[in-house]
Amino acid sequence: MKKTLLITGGAGFIGSHVVRLFVNKYPDYRIVNLDALTYAGNLENLTDIENFPNYTFVKADIRDASAINEIFKEHQFDGVIHLAAESHVDRSLKDPNVFIETNVLGTANLLNAARELWKGNMEGKRFYHVSTDEVYGSLGDTGFFLETTSYDPQSPYSASKAASDHLVRAYGNSYHLPFVITNCSNNYGQNQFPEKLIPLFIHNIQNNIPLPVYGDGKYTRDWLYVVDHARAIDLVYHDGVNGETYNIGGFNEWQNIALIKLLCKQMDEKLGRAPGESEKLISYVKDRPGHDRRYAIDASKINKELGWKPSVTFEEGLSKTIDWYLQNETWLQSVTSGDYQKYYESQYS
Ligand code: NAD
Ligand code: TYD
């Protein structure tokens, strides 16, 4: 094998797409997927590649420093793509500590293990931190997030991701750890846990459950198809410049209510409902505390320097995503049984 690569959080939404891409595209890399399998991690996301000879799964918690050190010693990684995190803003508002433990301390544990393993020879090594545009805070009606925009995180989730970005850069500066960071906009696509807007609303529309729109519904997000994010991660891992940050986004801003109406329209067509039927489920609810008004990424740096751009339009990506959820009801049923019901009641009752 040419390289041994650690991908953390590979059983989650984005991580599973990254693992699939790398395992298929690089048969001469040994890909180790490390994941604690929290509520958001699901090995069913990877059944198509689980028996590939270049793929290994390790169940471990990045909060456990000694376990992480042992795993680094055993596998002698050449590179790390770090995605494991607590990732949902609403959960971070209810229980911030686990975000600090996993996203901040967990990242520090990985950085320490990488530093120890690579000390004396950092040549060809790389620590890649997958981060979010939410570290930049909220935009007004105009403007975009650039790589140089100051950090201004507003939720415990984004603050924990900002802290971990700072740690990665500090290890680069203090210990010459070779790193890259990407800050990406909102992802959507197959295998996303139905606590985030798009899969939650697909599930609710299908089951005739009200669609809880926070506040006035005029909050804006920039949506990117998850497969395009995985393509960008592949490109940055291989061609990105050490110490650099790249913003990744879909050039695709939508106010929540406009997106929800498009989703309702596509679902009406796919479910054979009368036009306008699913929109009747829209129900405005209490706003999320401290809700960031608008996110929008300027992705020209990754476009110009590495040649990346999204491969599908939003309408195409959304249609593919809905089809996947409609065809994978057992996946949805298995992740929405048990604890999901408790979460839903406490969040939306
Ligand atoms: P996710 O919640 O779907 O998956 C997270 C994965 O991390 C799960 O498999 C979970 O089991 C694992 N994990 C959680 N805590 C762990 C721990 N202590 N030890 C080991 N594994 C643990 O998240 P996602 O949406 O796939 O996001 C992946 C990464 O991308 C995160 O770092 C997130 O901040 C970042 N990101 C997400 C988005 C988005 O729109 N979802 C956008 C930009 C950046
Ligand atoms: P979400 O998918 O949680 O992503 P993020 O908060 O990281 O951007 O939410 C996307 C947008 O949708 C955000 O403005 C909050 C809004 N939203 C609702 O209106 N209702 C909901 O039930 C959820 C989960 C989100």
Side-chain angles (χ1 to χ4, degrees):
M1 291 286 173
K2 208 159 115 189
K3 268 187 188 169
T4 301
L5 186 56
L6 170 66
I7 300 180
T8 71
F13 167 49
I14 302 169
S16 60
H17 288 272
V18 176
V19 166
R20 175 174 301 103
L21 189 155
F22 274 74
V23 166
N24 278 302
K25 188 168 171 187
Y26 302 108
D28 54 349
Y29 287 10
R30 204 157 62 85
I31 304 296
V32 178
N33 169 15
L34 182 157
D35 199 296
L37 301 181
T38 69
Y39 79 92
N42 187 348
L43 288 177
E44 280 178 47
N45 296 347
L46 290 167
T47 46
D48 54 329
I49 54 99
E50 68 189 358
N51 294 322
F52 278 39
N54 62 337
Y55 172 72
T56 307
F57 174 70
V58 176
K59 185 171 186 299
D61 192 321
I62 59 169
R63 293 173 296 178
D64 182 346
S66 60
I68 293 301
N69 291 336
E70 282 306 311
I71 292 164
F72 270 70
K73 265 189 224 143
E74 182 189 340
H75 292 276
Q76 299 286 309
F77 301 118
D78 300 294
V80 176
I81 303 182
H82 174 35
L83 296 107
E86 289 291 337
S87 68
H88 189 40
V89 174
D90 290 327
R91 287 186 190 254
S92 83
L93 295 165
K94 284 183 194 302
D95 183 10
N97 276 25
V98 69
F99 285 70
I100 296 158
E101 289 162 14
T102 287
N103 300 0
V104 186
L105 293 175
T107 302
N109 289 336
L110 291 167
L111 287 165
N112 288 331
R115 183 184 162 215
E116 177 62 24
L117 180 65
W118 299 338
K119 69 177 178 220
N121 183 15
M122 302 270 186
E123 190 57 40
K125 308 292 192 282
R126 172 156 278 185
F127 191 101
Y128 180 166
H129 188 225
V130 176
S131 191
T132 166
D133 61 354
E134 303 193 25
V135 298
Y136 299 123
S138 183
L139 290 164
D141 290 340
T142 56
F144 295 92
F145 295 133
L146 295 165
E147 286 80 1
T148 49
T149 302
S150 300
Y151 276 31
D152 187 21
Q154 300 292 319
S155 73
Y157 163 64
S158 53
S160 68
K161 291 297 290 188
S164 52
D165 283 357
H166 288 321
L167 276 174
V168 174
R169 290 197 183 94
Y171 275 60
N173 180 62
S174 307
Y175 308 120
H176 307 293
L177 192 85
F179 75 89
V180 280
I181 295 176
T182 50
N183 296 86
C184 187
S185 63
N186 288 59
N187 284 214
Y188 70 95
Q190 70 187 60
N191 299 108
Q192 187 169 31
F193 194 80
E195 62 187 356
K196 307 272 168 57
L197 181 75
I198 290 179
L200 176 77
F201 279 33
I202 292 173
H203 175 246
N204 284 15
I205 293 170
Q206 194 185 3
N207 295 289
N208 281 305
I209 299 168
L211 304 176
V213 180
Y214 295 161
D216 64 2
K218 292 184 179 159
Y219 293 85
T220 300
R221 299 290 184 264
D222 172 0
W223 293 92
L224 178 68
Y225 191 48
V226 64
V227 172
D228 283 328
H229 189 188
R231 285 175 48 243
I233 289 173
D234 175 22
L235 208 55
V236 172
Y237 181 75
H238 289 99
D239 298 344
V241 174
N242 275 338
E244 289 291 322
T245 296
Y246 300 87
N247 281 351
I248 308 172
F251 303 102
N252 179 44
E253 280 184 60
W254 285 79
Q255 272 194 351
N256 290 343
I257 194 64
L259 183 161
I260 291 160
K261 286 184 177 168
L262 173 65
L263 186 63
C264 287
K265 183 171 168 281
Q266 290 199 356
M267 292 283 290
D268 281 343
E269 285 162 14
K270 289 177 194 289
L271 295 171
R273 291 183 183 169
E277 187 71 20
S278 299
E279 269 192 32
K280 291 183 193 152
L281 294 167
I282 290 174
S283 155
Y284 288 90
V285 299
K286 199 165 137 243
D287 210 348
R288 172 188 279 174
H291 197 168
D292 287 337
R293 191 66 172 167
R294 177 170 164 260
Y295 303 146
I297 281 277
D298 181 339
S300 10
K301 177 174 170 179
I302 188 170
N303 174 250
K304 284 195 191 113
E305 294 185 14
L306 304 181
W308 175 89
K309 62 176 196 300
S311 69
V312 292
T313 66
F314 189 52
E315 283 76 3
E316 283 164 355
L318 195 61
S319 172
K320 280 189 196 193
T321 303
I322 298 169
D323 289 345
W324 185 84
Y325 280 94
L326 296 181
Q327 285 156 16
N328 287 274
E329 269 186 76
T330 45
W331 183 92
L332 206 53
Q333 272 158 13
S334 79
V335 300
T336 52
S337 61
D339 279 351
Y340 179 81
Q341 303 300 339
K342 281 190 229 142
Y343 167 76
Y344 200 90
E345 270 163 41
S346 82
Q347 179 63 23
Y348 295 105
S349 62

